[in-house]
Structure formats: structure tokens, C-alpha cells
Amino acid sequence: MRILTAEAMREVDRRAIEELGIPGLVLMENAALGVVDAIGEAAGAIGAAESAAVFCGPGNNGGDGLAIARHLAVRGYAVRVFLATGGREPGGDAGVQLAICRRLELPIDSVATEDEAREALAAAAGCDLVIDALFGTGLARPLAGVFAQLVSGIDDLGLPCVAVDLPSGLSGSKTEPLGPHVRADLTVTFAAPKVAHVLAPAADAVGELAVADLGVPQYLIEEVEERTGRLYLLTGEELAGRLPPREPDTHKGDFGHALIAAGAPGKAGAAILAARAAVRAGAGLVTAAVPAPILDVVDLGSVESMTLALPAGPSGQLAAGAVAALLAAARGKAVLALGPGLGQEEETAAAIRRVVLEAPLPLVVDADGVNAFAGRPGELAGRPAEIETVLTPHPGELGRLLGMPTADVQADRLAAARRAARETGAIVVLKGSRTLIAAPGGDVWINPTGNPGMATGGSGDVLTGLAAGLIAQREAYGLSVRDAVLLAVYLHGLAGDLALARLGGHALAAADLIDALPAAFSALAGS
């Protein structure tokens, strides 16, 4: 599903009006009906409401609110409108909606002063529901004065709140709130989600999100260009068809052989988790290549995978001799994943860099594999472009790769992921809440699955193995490496959500994600 910035949505509206001849009033009516239908279909207090206070701002969002008030009144709701327009009469399509509401004799109160704002909020407190139609996605500066007073007051009412398009005080294109803002229980947006709907902390104010049909052709949404790259939201419905059922006459050789280089003394679990996840992903064969001192432990921990002993130094981490062994083992394999738990000794890091730059097959590089390239992302771009590389860092690892503080990565995750993909030429999976998958060309996919219970050691190792296992099967299913990665990230989070429902968040462990993968695959197939 496409995600738009405020600027891109304005372009969709412009083309619908100017190129297709759809009047702005028709778009406004469609938007209003979408909100009213969402209210009627909502569960709990919103769906049970019989009266509504509608706060309308000075622009088209306020016009949407006026149309919503009219349709609610027609459906039998007791409606009261509070018109906050800075003392100016709305014009254009919003002015038409206001005139209709007046002819219908809906109660409309003007709100231009702080006293009038206090009176409006006191009157709204007697309603079952408050509707925020003050400002939409195009807001560019923090709210102040009466408008700031209103958004704060709406929150203080304690009523269920429905935001029209976006909670007032947020910008559709920004992940950070601009300043004072409404915190909605339900937000109904139009045509496509916007950036602020899906990325925290702005998304924390959205509540449940519904996307209403605006009545514009889908191609207008798909064709709109973004300056930095397109954004997409992963959905089960779109991903489900990429993993069709297996044919009856297939065998393990059809589903690829994944090679996983991971682990060190004290971190054998990283190799075990990655190998087990690759098996659960459906790879036909999995080999865990590990430093010789932990071979027996990994043998016992992942009985479905094979093992390969790699030369190790005095500490048990990979030695320089592991390079030749790994490159030899990579021959005939479908994918190589490396990094989890390998360690950061200089000899080990140098060995990792050589393997990454010389391996002639798709790579999944995680954890210490990423750390080996700290401050040198351009070296990764030296891999042949036709042999895909996937990086799966958490924010700290991405910060080390790019030479920037973790806090700066977190402050603008989109920009950091895009920069890393551009500088390395790799597909970059920036893990965390709403994991991002960035392609070198600037496109980014946002993953909606997953939960805080997954914030535990080993979760990333599971993702590494899952991604490797799915990439190994790309020929069997006609997948691109990118599609396999999108599936891996979505299924990883979905497994976490299913495990959370069964076990709760505090008790969740990485192995629980592996155990939940069969149910996640089944749930995706049923999407």
C-alpha cells in the first residue's frame, strides 16, 4: 500500500480536479461520507455515540468537518459545530458547506477568542463524541493561540475523538509532532496513509487508522512521484500471493541451500537461532558455518541443519583462514548470511570484510557483519550490483556504519535508512518499531507487524535466518531478493505478534518467534 507525503497528496488532488474534472466538492463529499461510515462501523464508544461536537478549522479540513456534521445530522445524530476560522468566513468549497449547514439550521458557534474557546469546550463536554476537523495533513508550523488552546482542550475532554485526515497539530509529511496536537482514538484519512500515520512518534497520536476511498483512480496514487523516493506500507494481502503452495513433486533441492556464518564462544545461540529460523523459513538445506570451538554446541542446538567448522583464533573468533573456507563453502549455495555473534576482533572483522566483498552470491549481513564496515559504507558498494546485498542493522549498528550517533539515526530513521542504502548499494533493513526496508533507489517499505516484546536478545538473529531461508527459495517461488526480504520482515513481526498473544510481552524470547513461524506463514496465506 502506497504511503504519501502531504505534498504528494496535494498533487493527487490537483490531478483529480484538473485532469479528470472531479469537482473539489465531490472529493469533499466523498471524504465526509468516508468518515461518517467509519464512525458508524466503529466498535465501542465511537460506534455507540448519538451526539457529536465537530471542531472545524479555516481550510478544506474544516470544510470536510462541516460536511461530516451535515451527514451525521441527516443520520440522526445530535450535532453541534464549533467554527474556528480565525475570525474569517470560510471560502471556496468550505464556504459552500457552511452555507448548506446554515440552511439546515445546524447549531454553529464561532470560536475566535480564548473565552469563546473555553465556552466551546465546555459545551462539547456534553456530547458523546468529538470530531477534530481543525487542520489536516498540510500543516507546516506549530499551532498557537486559540488553536493550541482547542487541541489541548479536546484532549482534556476525555471523550472518544475522531480525527479527520490527521490529528490537528501534526504534519502529514513529518514523523515528529510540530507542537501541541490532538491525540485521537480513530483517524480517518483519505486515499492512502501519510507518513505521520505510520511512523512514531507522530503515529502515536493517530489511534486506530482507517483509509477511506476518496473516489480517485488508484493510478493517480501510484504515479505520484516523491522527491526522495516512494514509501509503501507492507500488507498481508499484497504479500500473501508471493508464497504460493508447493507443488506435490518438489524435493529439498528445489528450495535452496542457505549458508549461515555466525557465532563465537559465548554466542553460539546466535548461530543456533539463525539456523533454526532458516529451517523454519522453508529452506531446503541449511548449513551453519561456525568457529570450530562451538561446533558441538551448534550441532546439538539446531538438529535440522548441518554444520561446518571454521578456523578460529585464540579467543575462538574467526581467524583469517576462515575466509577461504567460507568462500569454498559458498560455492553452490543460494545465499550466505553472516554476522550474528561473530565478534569484533580486528582479524575477525578483516575476514568478514573479505568474505563480503568476494562472495559471489546474495548476502544477508547482520550485527558484527555490519560492524566490520563501521565508518566505511562505501566499501560495500564495491560488490557487483547484480548480486544483491542485504544489511539488517539495528539503529546502533547503522550509526556505526554511517559514522553518526544512534540518536541521530532515531531522530530521522527514514533519512538514515535511505542514506545507508544509497551509500552501500544494499537493501537496508533498519530494525525497530516500524522496521524500514530501504532500497538503493530511495524507495522504502514500512512494516506494521511486531511489538515491544520482541525487544530481546536473539530476535535479530531470527530475522537474519528467516531472510536467508526465504532468499534461498527465490527460484522456487520466482521471488526477487527484495521480495524475500519484505516477506521475512513482515513474517518476523507477525510471528512476534502471534507469540505475544499466546505468551504476553514480558516472557517473550527469541526462540518463541521461531516456534510461531508456522502459524505466521499460515496466517499470511489466509490474508
Side-chain angles (χ1 to χ4, degrees):
M1 179 185 291
R2 186 73 185 274
I3 299 170
L4 301 181
T5 60
E7 296 77 17
M9 189 64 220
R10 279 197 293 270
E11 178 64 11
V12 171
D13 286 339
R14 184 197 66 77
R15 290 189 63 190
I17 294 169
E18 295 181 7
E19 296 179 14
L20 301 181
I22 303 175
L25 271 173
V26 171
L27 298 178
M28 191 171 281
E29 282 293 296
N30 290 344
L33 287 168
V35 174
V36 173
D37 287 343
I39 291 171
E41 295 166 3
I46 293 176
E50 297 180 352
S51 60
V54 186
F55 286 84
C56 299
N60 281 340
N61 195 251
D64 293 340
L66 290 163
I68 291 164
R70 171 165 55 84
H71 285 293
L72 286 174
V74 168
R75 297 190 187 191
Y77 288 75
V79 174
R80 188 161 181 179
V81 176
F82 300 97
L83 193 62
T85 60
R88 297 185 300 273
E89 191 80 354
D93 295 336
V96 173
Q97 297 289 357
L98 178 59
I100 297 172
C101 289
R102 283 175 172 161
R103 292 189 192 102
L104 289 172
E105 298 183 348
L106 297 185
I108 301 173
D109 297 288
S110 178
V111 182
T113 67
E114 291 185 2
D115 287 341
E116 289 173 343
R118 281 191 290 270
E119 292 170 3
L121 291 165
C127 295
D128 300 329
L129 176 69
V130 60
I131 297 174
D132 163 31
L134 290 168
F135 294 94
T137 59
L139 190 68
R141 61 181 183 274
L143 296 178
V146 169
F147 295 116
Q149 182 183 1
L150 286 174
V151 299
S152 297
I154 287 171
D155 279 350
D156 291 341
L157 288 174
L159 295 173
C161 176
V162 176
V164 178
D165 208 4
L166 190 70
S168 293
L170 304 182
S171 165
S173 301
K174 297 184 180 298
T175 61
E176 291 281 343
L178 297 174
H181 59 279
V182 169
R183 301 186 70 86
D185 298 288
L186 169 66
T187 297
V188 185
T189 193
F190 312 118
K194 315 306 182 296
V195 173
H197 292 131
V198 294
L199 291 179
D204 295 337
V206 168
E208 182 182 351
L209 177 66
V211 181
D213 183 10
L214 198 56
V216 301
Q218 185 65 26
Y219 75 81
L220 289 186
I221 298 167
E222 295 300 329
E223 289 179 358
V224 67
E225 294 295 331
E226 300 279 10
R227 182 175 57 83
T228 54
R230 298 181 179 185
L231 283 171
Y232 299 90
L233 181 68
L234 294 181
T235 66
E237 293 80 5
E238 292 176 340
L239 292 172
R242 303 184 190 185
L243 277 181
R246 292 184 171 186
E247 297 295 331
D249 60 346
T250 54
H251 57 85
K252 64 185 179 183
D254 293 325
F255 300 106
H257 192 158
L259 176 64
I260 298 173
K267 295 183 178 179
I272 293 169
L273 289 168
R276 289 187 60 214
V279 170
R280 281 295 196 191
L285 292 166
V286 177
T287 294
V290 300
I294 64 169
L295 184 74
D296 291 343
V297 176
V298 177
D299 256 337
L300 291 171
S302 181
V303 296
E304 299 95 346
S305 62
M306 297 174 284
T307 51
L308 171 68
L310 297 175
S315 69
Q317 294 186 17
L318 291 186
V323 174
L326 263 178
L327 292 176
R331 287 195 291 269
K333 305 300 190 294
V335 62
L336 168 61
L338 77 165
L342 285 176
Q344 300 182 46
E345 290 186 355
E346 182 48 44
E347 183 179 9
T348 301
I352 290 170
R353 288 193 292 271
R354 280 194 57 195
V355 171
V356 167
L357 296 177
E358 297 179 27
L361 74 172
L363 296 182
V364 180
V365 184
D366 181 40
D368 290 328
V370 178
N371 288 330
F373 289 89
R376 48 213 299 178
E379 291 185 19
L380 285 160
R383 278 181 50 82
E386 68 275 11
I387 305 176
E388 290 94 339
T389 306
V390 180
L391 308 179
T392 59
H394 60 54
E397 291 158 354
L398 190 69
R400 288 190 284 275
L401 176 68
L402 297 177
M404 61 190 296
T406 303
D408 290 351
V409 172
Q410 291 293 75
D412 195 340
R413 287 167 53 83
L414 269 175
R418 278 179 164 143
R419 176 188 163 191
R422 183 177 67 251
E423 294 186 11
T424 63
I427 297 168
V428 174
V429 178
L430 178 54
K431 295 180 288 196
S433 176
R434 294 289 191 266
T435 290
L436 305 178
I437 305 97
D443 289 352
V444 176
W445 290 258
I446 300 173
N447 181 51
T449 62
N451 60 80
M454 298 169 67
T456 184
S459 289
D461 306 326
V462 173
L463 177 59
T464 298
L466 180 56
L470 287 167
I471 292 171
Q473 300 170 77
R474 66 189 184 281
E475 291 186 5
Y477 294 114
L479 293 172
S480 65
V481 169
R482 187 198 71 191
D483 284 348
V485 172
L486 298 181
L487 279 163
V489 172
Y490 186 89
L491 285 163
H492 181 252
L494 182 57
D497 292 340
L498 294 171
L500 177 75
R502 186 169 63 89
L503 301 171
H506 290 286
L508 209 59
D512 299 321
L513 306 182
I514 299 173
D515 293 340
L517 279 174
F521 275 92
S522 295
L524 178 65
S527 296

